Structure formats: C-alpha cells, structure tokens
Amino acid sequence: MSALADQTILVTGAFRGIGAACAEALAERGARVIASDIVPPKETFARLAPHRKGHVTLVGDVSDEASVVAMFREIDHAAPAITGVVHCAGIIHEKPLLETTVEEFDKVQRINLRGTFLVGREVLRRLDGREGCVLLTASDLGVSGRETFSPYVASKHGVMGLMRSWAKEFAPHIRVNALCPGPIDTDMLGASSMSPQWRARELDIPAARFGKPAEVAAMAAFLMGPEAGFITGQGIGVNGGSVMP
Ligand code: NAD
C-alpha cells in the first residue's frame, strides 16, 4: 500500500517550483492532493491526475484572510477531511536595507509570515483533536542571516517561530516541521539570469550545485508520512551543506 494512501494534503504554492514538485511527490505516494496557488495550478494538476482520482485545484492568495477562509470553505466541500498541509507559497526580496521601503518590507512579511499564519491556523483548526501533519517552508536563511535579504530572512525566522510554537501547542497528535531548503533551482532563485558573481556565491557550498525541487519534495513526502512519526518541531535542511546548525 502507498505510504500516503489515506491522506488528503493541501499544497500551497503548487503552481511551480518546490510546491509543484511536492504536489507531484505526494500524489505519487498515494495522497489525494489539493493544489493551490494565487495562479491556477493547471499544469501541476495535469501531472497529478495519473496517480489517483480526486485531486483538486484551488486559487487563493495566502496573504489575504478572506481569500484563505474562502479557500478552506471550498476544501471543506470538495474533499474528504484534510490530514495535512505542505505550505510552500512565498516570495523572495533582495535589496540593500537602506534602499528598502516599508511597503516592500510589509509585502514580504504579509506573504511569507502572515500567509503561513493564516494557512496554518485554518489547517490546525480542522486538524485539532485528530492526527495530522503540518509542514511549513522556511529556508536555510531561516536559521542564518544574509546581507541584502533582511526582510526575507526575518520572515523565514518568523516561520521557524510559528513552527516551533505550533509543534508544542498541538502535540502530541499533530506534528509540525519546516523545510529549510538551500539554493534550489526554481524561478524564484532565477539561476539562469544570475550574474556570474552571484552564481559563484550560491554555489560556494559543500554540494557545489543547486538543489532540485524534487529533492526537497522527497523530503516533504517523507516528513508527511508515518515513518517520520517521531519528528516534530524541526527545521529540516535540504541545502547541500549551505548551513550546518
Ligand atoms: P517559486 O517562486 O518558484 O514558487 C512560489 C509559488 O508561490 C509560486 O507558484 C507563486 O505563484 C506562489 N505564491 C506567491 N505568492 C503567493 C500568494 N500570495 N498566495 C498564494 N501563492 C503565492 O519559488 P520556490 O523556489 O518554489 O519557493 C517555494 C518556497 O520555498 C518559498 O516559500 C521559498 O521562500 C522557499 N525557498 C526557496 C528556495 C530556493 O532556492 N528556491 C530556498 C529556500 C526556501
């Protein structure tokens, strides 16, 4: 029997990148997937379809409370009770601090941190009292710092704080963890348009390469499954050695 056959898992940010890879990996292992994004995740849905019937796609903005609540109302009607979430939706922001506006700072917090709070709260409301699993997405920058990325770094440290607190608040039935990817080859990283200097800096890690979305997704699928039953409250690095806490 497939490892995740009895699970219905919401994946946010499922239009592309790590979220799309997670949706596919979960479906391959037998989960029913609810793939959501601010952009309709139609291509992801097409990749899920061969694995099982009953996958669902939704459109919603994770940073907007009304949109998140509406999305969960649809989830309540469209699928069996959810058993977990892999929350991947997020944005990056790179700028020297002294050029960063308050609007830019707020936008990063709104999507990365408030979005995690809103999605996590609705999932945990539904899981409370049952077995379940919440997997957030922080970053290797959620456990370190980096010049010219401070709003993003702050948002990901915030995600780690939510994760650690929820892991205690909802124990022992619900496990809460966070992925902490290093540089992963997605549109967000923009490897193809990076300057040679930037590329060299990103690749100055023990693995000396970018990670693949599928490598993060394999970890996500493991963490959502029964074999990870003793893992909670952890930020899990999939980072080629970029950070060694
Ligand atoms: P990506 O840009 O390829 O995908 C992000 C997805 O989030 C997109 O499909 C986008 O439409 C969606 N999204 C953005 N704002 C949204 C909103 N308000 N509501 C709903 N959906 C929204 O990025 P990725 O590289 O796949 O990153 C996924 C997650 O992994 C992010 O949280 C990111 O911070 C984190 N991460 C990525 C890397 C990396 O190197 N790629 C490293 C560490 C952490």
Side-chain angles (χ1 to χ4, degrees):
M1 174 151 143
S2 309
L4 303 177
D6 53 353
Q7 295 208 29
T8 298
I9 300 173
L10 169 66
V11 181
T12 68
F15 169 70
R16 68 182 194 187
I18 293 170
C22 286
E24 201 168 0
L26 295 168
E28 275 168 11
R29 290 157 179 79
R32 176 178 287 109
V33 173
I34 303 165
S36 86
D37 202 290
I38 200 163
V39 181
K42 286 186 198 143
E43 283 177 25
T44 305
F45 184 69
R47 279 155 50 193
L48 304 183
H51 299 295
R52 177 177 178 168
K53 287 188 171 46
H55 302 298
V56 175
T57 57
L58 291 176
V59 176
D61 177 350
V62 299
S63 70
D64 178 78
E65 183 175 20
S67 178
V68 171
V69 168
M71 200 164 72
F72 275 87
R73 243 184 248 125
E74 277 192 66
I75 291 173
D76 291 340
H77 288 116
I82 60 170
T83 55
V85 65
V86 180
H87 176 58
C88 296
I91 59 166
I92 198 151
H93 176 80
E94 188 216 345
K95 216 180 212 189
L97 174 70
L98 302 185
E99 294 166 24
T100 301
T101 65
V102 79
E103 289 76 19
E104 288 168 334
F105 178 85
D106 284 349
K107 183 177 177 191
V108 178
Q109 309 317 314
R110 207 169 55 244
I111 296 176
N112 291 0
L113 185 53
R114 184 183 210 250
T116 301
F117 160 74
L118 289 171
V119 170
R121 190 181 58 168
E122 291 309 310
V123 171
L124 287 161
R125 209 192 283 296
R126 283 156 180 82
L127 290 180
D128 203 11
R130 294 193 284 128
E131 299 277 318
C133 194
V134 170
L135 183 58
L136 308 178
T137 307
S139 169
D140 56 0
L141 297 180
V143 290
S144 61
R146 178 175 284 185
E147 66 279 18
T148 72
F149 280 87
S150 59
Y152 178 79
V153 170
S155 73
K156 294 300 188 178
H157 277 252
V159 169
M160 293 295 281
L162 292 176
M163 179 274 290
R164 292 184 175 115
S165 304
W166 293 345
K168 291 191 171 184
E169 192 166 339
F170 293 90
H173 302 299
I174 301 171
R175 293 186 298 108
V176 187
N177 293 293
L179 296 164
C180 294
I184 307 299
D185 192 7
T186 67
D187 290 347
M188 176 182 277
L189 190 69
S192 55
S193 55
M194 262 175 193
S195 69
Q197 297 88 325
W198 189 257
R199 191 181 180 84
R201 203 179 83 163
E202 289 289 348
L203 291 175
D204 186 22
I205 59 176
R209 67 171 176 87
F210 297 124
K212 300 177 191 142
E215 291 174 312
V216 182
M219 176 57 78
F222 168 73
L223 290 169
M224 296 304 287
E227 287 176 327
F230 199 51
I231 302 176
T232 193
Q234 303 303 307
I236 311 286
V238 184
N239 62 21
S242 63
V243 166
M244 301 184 189

